[in-house]
Amino acid sequence: MNISHSYFLLICIIISQNSLAQEYKDPFDFKMLLSGTFGELRSNHFHAGIDIKTEGVEGQKVRSISDGYVSRIKVSTWGYGKTIYITHPQTGHTSVYAHLQKFSPKIDPFVKKEHYKKESFEINFFLTKDTILIEQGEIIGLSGNSGSSNGAHLHFEIRDTETQHPINPLRFGFRIQDNIPPILKKLKIYAFDTTLINGYNQSKIYSINRKDNTYTINDTITINGIFALGIFTYDKSNNAYNKNGIYSIKLFIDGKIHYEFKADELNFNTTRYINAHIDYYEKKKNKTKYHRCYKLPNNKLDNYKNLIDNGIIKLNDILIHQIDLEVSDIYNNKSNLVFNVKSTNRPFLKKCPLSKDNSNKNFRFDTENSFRKENINLHMKAFSLYESIKFHYNSTDSIEGVFGEVHHVHNNNTPIHKKYTLALKANIVDKLKKKTYIATTDMQGSFWYIGGDWVNGYLKTKTKEFGNFCIIADTIRPEIRGLNIFPEKILRNQKSIKLTIQDKESGIKSYRGEIDGKWVLMDYDHKKDLLRFDINNNISQGKHYFKLKVKDNVGNTSIYEAEFTY
């Protein structure tokens, strides 16, 4: 009887915990519309949450989805901007609210204290479970556009507290209206070394015909050899125009599953493997994001199931086979692409001669790789690549603004997972060396800062990209412009001090604002080049001395000073 009673209590506790996990409340009072979904294909990462529209404005009240405590607060110029993490012990989850404009009056004093303690706008700190308790529905801040956000919205996540793995928030019953199946746009068939697709040894992209929720390709495709598939697809939800990410892709060959991808959970440690999941070449060259329906050799994502031969298709007969690609969203709205492939074991008359490879060197993905020439050294650790490549290198004589050669290191259509070491050499006078850095260039007069330090006659840096590299110098100081502050100004009803800062060469590295010799918090919006100090009750009436010091990435410094009366 006691054992039975204990078992009953245990079942009740489990049911109670599971039901609590389903009773999260929306973070907004108004109807939720999405501009981004979980697992969406982003630059170098999968989207770790959902993006909730805020009716086109900042300042909407953001509420906690459940009881808990503030466990972490982060403020950064880039990334998530102003962010609150709330741990919910009863469910084992942590909710994340990013790109905020402001923190609530209850939370803000803790944030301000940390800013002044570190004398930094950028902060990241953790709190104990008893410091800031939060109730379900409590206002924790106002929505905004901080960090790397490109428009007013709330980035919202649910994470497993123990692992910090993001979980698809749409699994937890938030009110999203969606009865629209995913849209399928294009199919890519990948040819390997000896594959022939309709007689040619080259990958081919097919347009797709749609009838209701079923898509087709008009012709039967004839293939000799192994091949693989990629799909360009996106999802939409009701009352929103945004093209969002899909939830699941399944590949069936003659009714048997061959490959499955599902966006249920992510891992920040492996999210960069998105560059192995997508067709990186198509993304860079044609701005189109294909899901590869097969795994590259160095792809460590855990989002695949039911993999046969890593998704690569081998048809060793001369029959016609049916291929079905099923794409769905999390609400089980589905679209299917169904087409036929005729397998053959005979080469076609149209077979193209394989092009001669004039590559410099083979780079294997599973070994260290190095390349050395007169003015360049390159070293790459094992597993920095997603697949083995034929590495190419050449150089161009110096162009305007560049010291020495421009080094064309392979091409930027090939992704890299780990940073590799790049060292360049050029003849530069010693007094100018401290102002030089390695940059990438589009060969049309634009340059982007990478960095570097002089070591044994080489300017040395680390980077995660291939492309055109060169050495340039920055001798120009950052630009500071006061918007509502100038020497001898009298501040009467003014609520803030605003300035813009810019550096069009190596970029802003740091800034420091002071009033009367003491550090003050200046909110930095890099998208507007705007620095803002909120006066509130932070200064007393009378004369004051304002000073702003801005430094760029090679040490050029500008100072703005102004006495003012408040």
Side-chain angles (χ1 to χ4, degrees):
M1 187 70 173
N2 287 337
I3 293 175
S4 176
H5 181 67
S6 299
Y7 179 75
F8 175 75
L9 284 176
L10 178 61
I11 294 298
C12 287
I13 291 170
I14 293 172
I15 293 173
S16 173
Q17 286 179 336
N18 287 337
S19 65
L20 277 170
Q22 303 301 317
E23 291 177 359
Y24 290 141
K25 291 189 176 180
D26 292 356
F28 290 114
D29 296 329
F30 49 83
K31 182 178 179 180
M32 281 175 42
L33 299 175
L34 301 186
S35 59
T37 50
F38 185 85
E40 202 165 277
L41 307 179
R42 299 290 179 89
S43 180
N44 298 317
H45 70 285
F46 290 95
H47 193 225
I50 57 175
D51 287 342
I52 306 171
K53 291 173 175 280
T54 55
E55 300 181 331
V57 298
E58 299 183 37
Q60 301 280 21
K61 296 174 182 176
V62 180
R63 300 179 183 275
S64 175
I65 62 169
S66 186
D67 293 346
Y69 64 92
V70 176
S71 52
R72 180 185 179 191
I73 296 171
K74 186 175 182 180
V75 177
S76 56
T77 303
W78 305 88
Y80 285 6
K82 297 179 180 179
T83 312
I84 297 174
Y85 301 73
I86 298 178
T87 296
H88 311 285
Q90 73 274 27
T91 64
H93 295 150
T94 296
S95 55
V96 183
Y97 312 79
H99 304 310
L100 298 176
Q101 180 195 74
K102 292 181 180 179
F103 300 101
S104 71
K106 181 176 180 178
I107 297 172
D108 193 58
F110 294 90
V111 181
K112 288 285 199 311
K113 182 179 179 181
E114 191 71 13
H115 280 304
Y116 279 88
K117 176 183 174 183
K118 298 286 178 64
E119 293 193 351
S120 173
F121 171 66
E122 300 211 351
I123 55 173
N124 180 23
F125 65 105
F126 297 82
L127 300 96
T128 62
K129 63 182 180 180
D130 299 321
T131 304
I132 309 177
L133 299 178
I134 299 293
E135 295 182 354
Q136 186 178 56
E138 182 176 344
I139 297 170
I140 58 172
L142 300 181
S143 66
N145 185 35
S146 59
S148 296
S149 169
N150 291 316
H153 74 281
L154 176 73
H155 173 85
F156 172 74
E157 297 178 13
I158 292 179
R159 299 184 185 181
D160 180 293
T161 299
E162 184 176 352
T163 65
Q164 284 298 295
H165 290 181
I167 306 168
N168 197 326
L170 299 183
R171 291 168 51 183
F172 298 100
F174 294 105
R175 299 173 296 163
I176 304 294
Q177 186 179 356
D178 183 359
N179 58 15
I180 302 174
I183 309 297
L184 313 185
K185 298 298 289 185
K186 291 181 181 179
L187 172 76
K188 184 169 182 178
I189 302 182
Y190 294 90
F192 296 98
D193 288 345
T194 59
T195 307
L196 298 177
I197 300 174
N198 288 341
Y200 294 96
N201 179 237
Q202 58 187 23
S203 300
K204 185 171 176 59
I205 292 175
Y206 289 87
S207 297
I208 297 171
N209 303 311
R210 177 181 181 181
K211 185 177 180 181
D212 298 324
N213 296 330
T214 299
Y215 296 76
T216 60
I217 294 172
N218 287 336
D219 301 328
T220 295
I221 303 163
T222 302
I223 298 182
N224 181 78
I226 64 174
F227 64 100
L229 304 178
I231 186 76
F232 170 36
T233 178
Y234 57 83
D235 191 34
K236 300 187 78 172
S237 58
N238 299 45
N239 306 308
Y241 64 87
N242 304 80
K243 297 177 180 179
N244 297 327
I246 54 87
Y247 171 64
S248 169
I249 300 175
K250 294 180 181 178
L251 168 61
F252 299 90
I253 310 292
D254 296 326
K256 296 180 180 179
I257 194 159
H258 194 79
Y259 164 98
E260 181 178 2
F261 168 83
K262 188 173 286 186
D264 267 329
E265 184 175 323
L266 296 170
N267 183 339
F268 288 114
N269 292 327
T270 59
T271 191
R272 190 176 172 86
Y273 286 103
I274 188 175
N275 292 329
H277 175 78
I278 65 170
D279 187 323
Y280 195 83
Y281 173 87
E282 291 291 343
K283 175 197 168 188
K284 296 291 285 187
K285 198 76 174 176
N286 300 315
K287 312 299 181 187
T288 306
K289 296 178 182 177
Y290 283 85
H291 291 261
R292 292 183 191 267
C293 299
Y294 70 102
K295 282 186 71 176
L296 292 182
N298 185 27
N299 179 351
K300 292 183 170 57
L301 289 172
D302 296 323
N303 298 85
Y304 305 105
K305 299 178 181 178
N306 299 309
L307 278 179
I308 306 297
D309 294 325
N310 282 327
I312 294 173
I313 302 170
K314 305 174 182 178
L315 303 176
N316 299 314
D317 52 41
I318 54 172
L319 303 176
I320 292 177
H321 299 269
Q322 185 184 78
I323 295 181
D324 182 356
L325 266 173
E326 179 184 283
V327 182
S328 64
D329 62 26
I330 198 165
Y331 299 106
N332 210 33
N333 299 305
K334 297 179 181 178
S335 293
N336 291 77
L337 169 61
V338 181
F339 62 99
N340 291 327
V341 167
K342 179 175 174 54
S343 175
T344 176
N345 56 14
R346 295 191 300 272
F348 281 45
L349 293 176
K350 291 184 288 186
K351 179 177 179 181
C352 303
L354 296 177
S355 60
K356 293 181 180 179
D357 197 330
N358 297 316
S359 307
N360 297 92
K361 195 171 185 181
N362 291 323
F363 272 23
R364 289 182 54 88
F365 77 91
D366 55 352
T367 63
E368 290 187 1
N369 294 287
S370 296
F371 178 81
R372 179 187 293 269
K373 255 196 160 181
E374 184 179 359
N375 294 317
I376 179 172
N377 288 336
L378 180 156
H379 181 77
M380 184 176 288
K381 294 180 180 178
F383 299 101
S384 295
L385 298 167
Y386 299 111
E387 59 184 335
S388 300
I389 64 171
K390 297 286 189 180
F391 176 79
H392 295 262
Y393 169 84
N394 58 64
S395 62
T396 299
D397 289 339
S398 185
I399 60 176
E400 185 177 356
V402 169
F403 294 93
E405 302 166 295
V406 178
H407 302 269
H408 308 293
V409 181
H410 201 61
N411 63 73
N412 65 358
N413 298 326
T414 300
I416 300 173
H417 192 72
K418 299 177 182 178
K419 286 186 176 182
Y420 68 91
T421 301
L422 177 68
L424 305 181
K425 181 189 284 187
N427 293 321
I428 302 170
V429 294
D430 288 342
K431 66 178 182 180
L432 194 58
K433 280 189 173 181
K434 64 180 181 180
K435 300 296 183 183
T436 56
Y437 59 94
I438 293 176
T440 57
T441 177
D442 59 2
M443 302 298 290
Q444 297 178 9
S446 295
F447 301 91
W448 293 272
Y449 176 87
I450 300 293
D453 296 297
W454 286 96
V455 180
N456 297 326
Y458 282 84
L459 188 54
K460 189 175 181 181
T461 190
K462 291 187 175 182
T463 181
K464 283 185 179 179
E465 60 184 306
F466 287 133
N468 305 316
F469 296 94
C470 57
I471 298 176
I472 64 174
D474 174 10
T475 59
I476 302 172
R477 294 182 300 174
E479 178 185 323
I480 305 175
R481 188 165 67 93
L483 298 181
N484 63 356
I485 181 72
F486 53 81
E488 307 302 328
K489 183 171 184 183
I490 298 175
L491 310 185
R492 298 191 185 276
N493 299 316
Q494 197 166 308
K495 295 181 179 180
S496 64
I497 294 175
K498 296 180 181 179
L499 307 95
T500 59
I501 59 174
Q502 274 189 324
D503 190 277
K504 297 179 180 179
E505 303 295 323
S506 61
I508 302 291
K509 181 179 182 179
S510 65
Y511 66 91
R512 179 183 176 88
E514 295 180 352
I515 292 181
D516 301 331
K518 294 182 179 179
W519 183 88
V520 292
L521 173 61
M522 303 201 74
D523 195 303
Y524 183 31
D525 183 346
H526 70 89
K527 297 183 289 290
K528 298 178 181 178
D529 301 318
L530 181 67
L531 282 177
R532 187 191 73 247
F533 167 68
D534 292 323
I535 295 174
N536 295 327
N537 296 316
N538 292 315
I539 57 176
S540 61
Q541 292 186 353
K543 281 189 175 292
H544 296 279
Y545 171 68
F546 173 78
K547 180 180 178 181
L548 174 64
K549 183 177 181 179
V550 181
K551 183 183 294 186
D552 68 18
N553 278 300
V554 296
N556 298 309
T557 302
S558 292
I559 296 175
Y560 183 96
E561 299 172 291
E563 282 193 355
F564 67 93
T565 302
Y566 178 67

